[in-house]
Amino acid sequence: MQLNKLDRFLGLEIQHRRTEKGWSQEYLAEISGLHRTYISQLERGLKSPSVRVLSHITTALGVTMSEFLQAVEEALSADRRRD
């Protein structure tokens, strides 16, 4: 099964920002009110976050959704240019 690029890039951005803070998946799950396995699935691009879930995650990470989505959009654009 090929993973959806958007889901994959959303997951990579979550993982990047989480690891940049030195946080475990467990810690991000705890402060965002989500389950650790769900965070793992998001980071691997296996699940697509709802707007509500994305709001919980970005709030926990201390960024706005627009900042977060802009970074994802830039990564998607760079990927398209490579194709």
Side-chain angles (χ1 to χ4, degrees):
M1 173 177 112
Q2 184 177 8
L3 299 178
N4 179 305
K5 280 189 178 185
L6 176 59
D7 292 338
R8 193 174 68 216
F9 281 105
L10 284 166
L12 288 171
E13 188 64 21
I14 292 168
Q15 183 180 47
H16 168 74
R17 290 180 184 263
R18 175 183 61 77
T19 57
E20 191 174 65
K21 291 183 170 291
W23 293 354
S24 66
Q25 289 179 343
E26 291 85 359
Y27 184 71
L28 178 57
E30 180 182 324
I31 64 172
S32 64
L34 302 167
H35 197 276
R36 186 205 57 81
T37 58
Y38 187 58
I39 297 292
S40 174
Q41 290 171 333
L42 289 171
E43 288 187 357
R44 291 181 289 143
L46 300 175
K47 295 280 185 181
S48 184
S50 68
V51 172
R52 180 175 288 125
V53 165
L54 197 53
S55 176
H56 288 301
I57 291 171
T58 57
T59 298
L61 291 169
V63 297
T64 65
M65 283 202 315
S66 61
E67 288 174 291
F68 181 86
L69 291 172
Q70 182 176 352
V72 171
E73 186 176 4
E74 289 170 2
L76 281 168
S77 294
D79 185 66
R80 285 187 201 115
R81 286 193 297 272
R82 284 193 295 264
D83 288 342

